[in-house]
Amino acid sequence: MAVEDEIQFERDGAVARVWLNRPHKKNCVTVPILNRLDEIITEVDADPELRVLILRGRGNTFCSGFDLDSLKADFIGSSTAIEVAVLSAKVCDRLYSMKTPSIAVLEGHVTAGGFELMISCDFAIAADDALIGDFHIRRALFGGAGPIYRVPRMIGVRKTKELMLTGKLLTGVEAAQFDLINSSAPADKLDATVEEFADQLIDKSPFTMWITKMTIDRSLDADIQSLMVMEHLAVGVMLNSEDAAEGVSAFLEKREPQWKGR
Protein backbone atom coordinates (compact mmCIF):
# COMPACT_ATOMS: atom_id res chain seq x y z
CA MET A 1 0.00 0.00 0.00
CA ALA A 2 1.37 3.42 -0.99
CA VAL A 3 1.88 5.96 1.77
CA GLU A 4 -0.81 8.18 0.16
CA ASP A 5 -3.26 5.35 0.90
CA GLU A 6 -2.00 4.86 4.44
CA ILE A 7 -2.49 8.53 5.35
CA GLN A 8 -5.22 10.22 3.34
CA PHE A 9 -5.67 13.96 2.92
CA GLU A 10 -9.05 15.38 1.92
CA ARG A 11 -10.25 18.95 1.47
CA ASP A 12 -13.83 19.55 2.61
CA GLY A 13 -14.56 23.26 2.22
CA ALA A 14 -12.62 25.01 4.97
CA VAL A 15 -11.76 21.71 6.66
CA ALA A 16 -8.65 19.61 6.01
CA ARG A 17 -9.40 15.99 6.91
CA VAL A 18 -6.42 13.72 7.51
CA TRP A 19 -7.09 10.01 7.97
CA LEU A 20 -4.68 7.36 9.21
CA ASN A 21 -5.65 4.33 7.14
CA ARG A 22 -4.09 1.15 8.48
CA PRO A 23 -7.05 -0.22 10.44
CA HIS A 24 -5.69 -3.77 10.20
CA LYS A 25 -2.81 -2.55 12.43
CA LYS A 26 -4.85 -0.13 14.53
CA ASN A 27 -3.48 2.72 12.39
CA CYS A 28 0.05 2.46 13.77
CA VAL A 29 2.44 4.84 12.05
CA THR A 30 5.73 4.35 10.20
CA VAL A 31 8.53 6.65 9.10
CA PRO A 32 6.94 7.20 5.64
CA ILE A 33 3.60 8.05 7.27
CA LEU A 34 5.25 10.58 9.60
CA ASN A 35 7.11 12.15 6.67
CA ARG A 36 3.87 12.40 4.70
CA LEU A 37 2.08 13.96 7.69
CA ASP A 38 4.85 16.55 7.82
CA GLU A 39 4.19 17.38 4.16
CA ILE A 40 0.44 17.62 4.74
CA ILE A 41 0.88 20.05 7.64
CA THR A 42 2.99 22.32 5.43
CA GLU A 43 0.41 22.07 2.64
CA VAL A 44 -2.50 22.90 4.94
CA ASP A 45 -0.75 25.91 6.44
CA ALA A 46 -0.01 27.26 2.96
CA ASP A 47 -3.66 27.06 1.85
CA PRO A 48 -5.66 30.14 2.93
CA GLU A 49 -8.94 28.35 2.26
CA LEU A 50 -8.30 25.74 4.96
CA ARG A 51 -9.23 26.89 8.46
CA VAL A 52 -9.01 23.72 10.57
CA LEU A 53 -7.28 20.32 10.38
CA ILE A 54 -9.13 17.25 11.66
CA LEU A 55 -6.96 14.19 12.35
CA ARG A 56 -8.56 10.79 12.88
CA GLY A 57 -8.25 7.12 12.00
CA ARG A 58 -10.18 4.76 9.75
CA GLY A 59 -11.85 1.66 11.15
CA ASN A 60 -13.09 3.33 14.35
CA THR A 61 -9.66 3.58 15.94
CA PHE A 62 -7.28 6.54 16.15
CA CYS A 63 -3.70 5.26 16.39
CA SER A 64 -2.02 2.61 18.52
CA GLY A 65 1.47 4.09 18.15
CA PHE A 66 4.53 3.36 16.06
CA ASP A 67 4.55 0.11 14.09
CA LEU A 68 6.33 -2.30 16.46
CA ASP A 69 7.37 -4.62 13.63
CA SER A 70 9.20 -1.71 12.03
CA LEU A 71 10.56 -0.55 15.39
CA LYS A 72 12.00 -3.99 16.15
CA ALA A 73 13.43 -4.52 12.65
CA ASP A 74 14.90 -1.09 12.05
CA PHE A 75 15.54 0.67 15.34
CA ILE A 76 15.70 -1.45 18.52
CA GLY A 77 19.31 -2.31 19.30
CA SER A 78 20.57 -0.03 16.55
CA SER A 79 22.47 3.25 16.53
CA THR A 80 19.60 4.58 14.42
CA ALA A 81 17.17 4.29 17.35
CA ILE A 82 17.39 7.98 18.21
CA GLU A 83 16.49 8.90 14.63
CA VAL A 84 12.89 7.74 15.00
CA ALA A 85 12.55 9.80 18.19
CA VAL A 86 13.95 12.89 16.46
CA LEU A 87 11.60 12.44 13.51
CA SER A 88 8.55 11.80 15.69
CA ALA A 89 9.29 14.84 17.84
CA LYS A 90 9.84 17.06 14.79
CA VAL A 91 6.56 16.08 13.16
CA CYS A 92 4.55 16.31 16.37
CA ASP A 93 6.03 19.72 17.12
CA ARG A 94 5.16 20.90 13.61
CA LEU A 95 1.58 19.71 14.23
CA TYR A 96 1.53 21.51 17.59
CA SER A 97 3.01 24.72 16.14
CA MET A 98 1.12 24.96 12.85
CA LYS A 99 -0.86 28.11 12.12
CA THR A 100 -4.06 26.19 11.45
CA PRO A 101 -5.87 24.85 14.53
CA SER A 102 -6.11 21.07 14.74
CA ILE A 103 -8.61 18.65 16.25
CA ALA A 104 -7.83 15.02 17.10
CA VAL A 105 -10.89 12.77 16.86
CA LEU A 106 -10.38 9.82 19.17
CA GLU A 107 -11.89 6.38 18.80
CA GLY A 108 -10.64 2.97 19.79
CA HIS A 109 -6.98 2.90 20.83
CA VAL A 110 -5.11 6.18 21.37
CA THR A 111 -1.82 4.92 22.73
CA ALA A 112 1.96 5.53 22.55
CA GLY A 113 2.65 7.43 19.31
CA GLY A 114 -1.08 7.91 18.83
CA PHE A 115 -1.23 9.51 22.26
CA GLU A 116 1.63 11.79 21.19
CA LEU A 117 -0.23 12.84 18.04
CA MET A 118 -3.29 13.56 20.17
CA ILE A 119 -1.45 15.80 22.66
CA SER A 120 0.15 17.67 19.74
CA CYS A 121 -3.25 18.74 18.41
CA ASP A 122 -4.87 21.89 19.77
CA PHE A 123 -8.09 20.09 20.64
CA ALA A 124 -9.20 16.51 21.22
CA ILE A 125 -12.70 15.08 21.15
CA ALA A 126 -13.23 11.42 21.99
CA ALA A 127 -15.84 8.74 21.79
CA ASP A 128 -16.95 7.87 25.29
CA ASP A 129 -15.49 4.37 24.96
CA ALA A 130 -12.11 5.34 23.43
CA LEU A 131 -9.02 4.01 25.25
CA ILE A 132 -6.46 6.77 25.79
CA GLY A 133 -3.05 6.66 27.45
CA ASP A 134 0.71 6.99 27.02
CA PHE A 135 1.15 3.20 27.43
CA HIS A 136 4.91 3.15 26.61
CA ILE A 137 5.92 1.85 30.01
CA ARG A 138 3.97 -1.37 29.41
CA ARG A 139 6.49 -2.23 26.70
CA ALA A 140 9.54 -0.85 28.56
CA LEU A 141 9.65 2.02 26.05
CA PHE A 142 9.81 5.79 26.48
CA GLY A 143 7.71 8.27 24.52
CA GLY A 144 9.90 10.51 22.38
CA ALA A 145 7.42 13.07 21.05
CA GLY A 146 6.01 15.15 23.84
CA PRO A 147 4.66 13.35 26.92
CA ILE A 148 7.14 14.84 29.40
CA TYR A 149 6.72 18.43 28.20
CA ARG A 150 3.16 18.57 26.85
CA VAL A 151 1.17 16.44 29.30
CA PRO A 152 2.30 18.10 32.58
CA ARG A 153 1.29 21.46 31.12
CA MET A 154 -2.16 20.06 30.40
CA ILE A 155 -2.99 18.08 33.52
CA GLY A 156 -0.19 18.69 36.06
CA VAL A 157 2.71 16.57 37.26
CA ARG A 158 0.84 14.16 39.53
CA LYS A 159 -1.71 13.10 36.92
CA THR A 160 1.05 12.86 34.31
CA LYS A 161 2.96 10.47 36.55
CA GLU A 162 -0.22 8.48 37.09
CA LEU A 163 -0.66 8.06 33.34
CA MET A 164 2.96 7.45 32.41
CA LEU A 165 4.12 5.30 35.32
CA THR A 166 1.10 3.00 35.43
CA GLY A 167 0.48 2.79 31.69
CA LYS A 168 -3.23 3.00 32.45
CA LEU A 169 -5.80 3.65 29.75
CA LEU A 170 -8.58 6.18 30.24
CA THR A 171 -11.95 6.02 28.54
CA GLY A 172 -13.04 9.12 26.67
CA VAL A 173 -15.24 10.05 29.61
CA GLU A 174 -12.36 9.64 32.07
CA ALA A 175 -9.94 11.56 29.82
CA ALA A 176 -12.34 14.52 29.79
CA GLN A 177 -12.54 14.38 33.58
CA PHE A 178 -8.71 14.29 33.65
CA ASP A 179 -8.67 17.51 31.56
CA LEU A 180 -6.63 15.61 29.00
CA ILE A 181 -9.16 16.20 26.20
CA ASN A 182 -11.83 18.79 25.52
CA SER A 183 -14.88 16.53 25.58
CA SER A 184 -16.29 13.11 24.84
CA ALA A 185 -19.50 11.97 23.22
CA PRO A 186 -21.37 8.73 22.57
CA ALA A 187 -20.01 7.04 19.45
CA ASP A 188 -23.16 7.77 17.44
CA LYS A 189 -22.89 11.48 18.22
CA LEU A 190 -19.14 11.87 17.79
CA ASP A 191 -19.21 13.16 14.20
CA ALA A 192 -21.84 15.79 15.00
CA THR A 193 -19.89 16.90 18.09
CA VAL A 194 -16.71 17.31 16.04
CA GLU A 195 -18.47 19.28 13.30
CA GLU A 196 -20.09 21.61 15.83
CA PHE A 197 -16.71 22.22 17.44
CA ALA A 198 -14.97 22.84 14.10
CA ASP A 199 -17.69 25.32 13.09
CA GLN A 200 -16.62 27.52 16.01
CA LEU A 201 -13.13 27.81 14.48
CA ILE A 202 -13.65 28.18 10.74
CA ASP A 203 -15.55 31.47 10.90
CA LYS A 204 -12.78 33.33 12.75
CA SER A 205 -9.96 35.42 11.27
CA PRO A 206 -7.18 32.96 10.37
CA PHE A 207 -4.55 35.61 11.05
CA THR A 208 -5.89 36.33 14.53
CA MET A 209 -6.23 32.59 15.12
CA TRP A 210 -2.54 32.12 14.31
CA ILE A 211 -1.31 34.98 16.52
CA THR A 212 -3.53 33.94 19.43
CA LYS A 213 -2.60 30.25 19.14
CA MET A 214 1.11 31.07 18.92
CA THR A 215 1.06 33.25 22.04
CA ILE A 216 -0.99 30.77 24.07
CA ASP A 217 1.48 28.03 23.12
CA ARG A 218 4.27 30.10 24.70
CA SER A 219 2.27 31.14 27.76
CA LEU A 220 3.82 28.61 30.18
CA ASP A 221 7.38 28.97 28.91
CA ALA A 222 8.35 32.45 30.14
CA ASP A 223 8.02 34.79 33.10
CA ILE A 224 5.03 37.11 33.37
CA GLN A 225 6.95 40.27 32.44
CA SER A 226 8.24 38.68 29.24
CA LEU A 227 4.75 37.44 28.42
CA MET A 228 3.38 40.93 28.96
CA VAL A 229 5.84 42.27 26.38
CA MET A 230 4.79 39.51 23.96
CA GLU A 231 1.16 40.38 24.62
CA HIS A 232 1.78 44.07 23.95
CA LEU A 233 3.48 43.24 20.66
CA ALA A 234 0.66 40.89 19.66
CA VAL A 235 -1.89 43.63 20.34
CA GLY A 236 0.11 46.02 18.15
CA VAL A 237 0.35 43.48 15.33
CA MET A 238 -3.37 42.80 15.43
CA LEU A 239 -4.42 46.45 15.56
CA ASN A 240 -2.42 47.02 12.39
CA SER A 241 -3.94 44.04 10.57
CA GLU A 242 -6.56 44.20 7.82
CA ASP A 243 -8.64 41.61 9.65
CA ALA A 244 -8.91 43.77 12.77
CA ALA A 245 -10.11 46.68 10.66
CA GLU A 246 -12.60 44.39 8.95
CA GLY A 247 -13.78 42.85 12.22
CA VAL A 248 -14.53 46.24 13.80
CA SER A 249 -16.16 47.58 10.63
CA ALA A 250 -18.34 44.48 10.25
CA PHE A 251 -19.52 44.79 13.85
CA LEU A 252 -20.37 48.47 13.49
CA GLU A 253 -22.09 47.87 10.14
CA LYS A 254 -23.99 44.84 11.47
CA ARG A 255 -22.74 42.41 8.80
CA GLU A 256 -20.64 39.28 8.62
CA PRO A 257 -16.88 39.94 8.28
CA GLN A 258 -14.94 38.98 5.17
CA TRP A 259 -11.51 37.95 6.41
CA LYS A 260 -8.35 38.63 4.41
CA GLY A 261 -6.09 36.48 6.56
CA ARG A 262 -3.63 39.29 7.15
Side-chain angles (χ1 to χ4, degrees), residues 122-179:
D122 295 299
F123 309 102
I125 300 172
D128 287 344
D129 59 355
L131 295 173
I132 304 165
D134 176 70
F135 205 74
H136 282 99
I137 202 163
R138 293 200 188 187
R139 300 291 177 263
L141 300 172
F142 190 89
I148 65 169
Y149 48 86
R150 301 237 191 272
V151 182
R153 287 166 164 78
M154 294 178 178
I155 63 174
V157 171
R158 288 190 185 276
K159 286 185 176 180
T160 299
K161 288 180 179 178
E162 182 178 344
L163 275 184
M164 292 186 66
L165 298 183
T166 67
K168 71 189 298 182
L169 296 178
L170 306 174
T171 65
V173 173
E174 292 169 335
Q177 294 169 347
F178 241 63
D179 291 331

Side-chain angles (χ1 to χ4, degrees), residues 200-256:
Q200 299 177 80
L201 301 171
I202 62 179
D203 65 343
K204 306 302 188 298
S205 157
F207 183 68
T208 309
M209 184 75 69
W210 174 37
I211 297 298
T212 304
K213 176 173 153 20
M214 183 167 51
T215 53
I216 292 172
D217 286 347
R218 300 279 76 79
S219 63
L220 298 179
D221 297 333
D223 62 274
I224 290 176
Q225 294 301 316
S226 297
L227 290 169
M228 287 177 67
V229 172
M230 182 170 68
E231 191 175 60
H232 300 336
L233 295 173
V235 170
V237 168
M238 290 315 308
L239 287 177
N240 281 284
S241 71
E242 292 184 34
D243 277 0
E246 170 63 9
V248 173
S249 295
F251 177 81
L252 294 175
E253 295 166 13
K254 296 180 173 57
R255 60 175 175 81
E256 292 298 315

Side-chain angles (χ1 to χ4, degrees), residues 40-106:
I40 291 170
I41 292 168
T42 301
E43 190 172 343
V44 170
D45 261 356
D47 189 335
E49 299 301 316
L50 296 174
R51 302 292 181 83
V52 63
L53 183 151
I54 295 178
L55 177 63
R56 65 189 306 178
R58 300 284 189 192
N60 300 313
T61 196
F62 182 68
C63 174
S64 61
F66 197 87
D67 188 318
L68 292 185
D69 289 325
S70 173
L71 191 72
K72 183 176 180 180
D74 301 327
F75 299 105
I76 288 181
S78 167
S79 61
T80 63
I82 195 170
E83 293 177 8
V84 71
V86 170
L87 173 64
S88 298
K90 182 192 77 168
V91 176
C92 284
D93 192 59
R94 195 182 299 277
L95 178 61
Y96 181 82
S97 303
M98 68 186 301
K99 297 178 183 178
T100 309
S102 57
I103 304 171
V105 181
L106 311 177

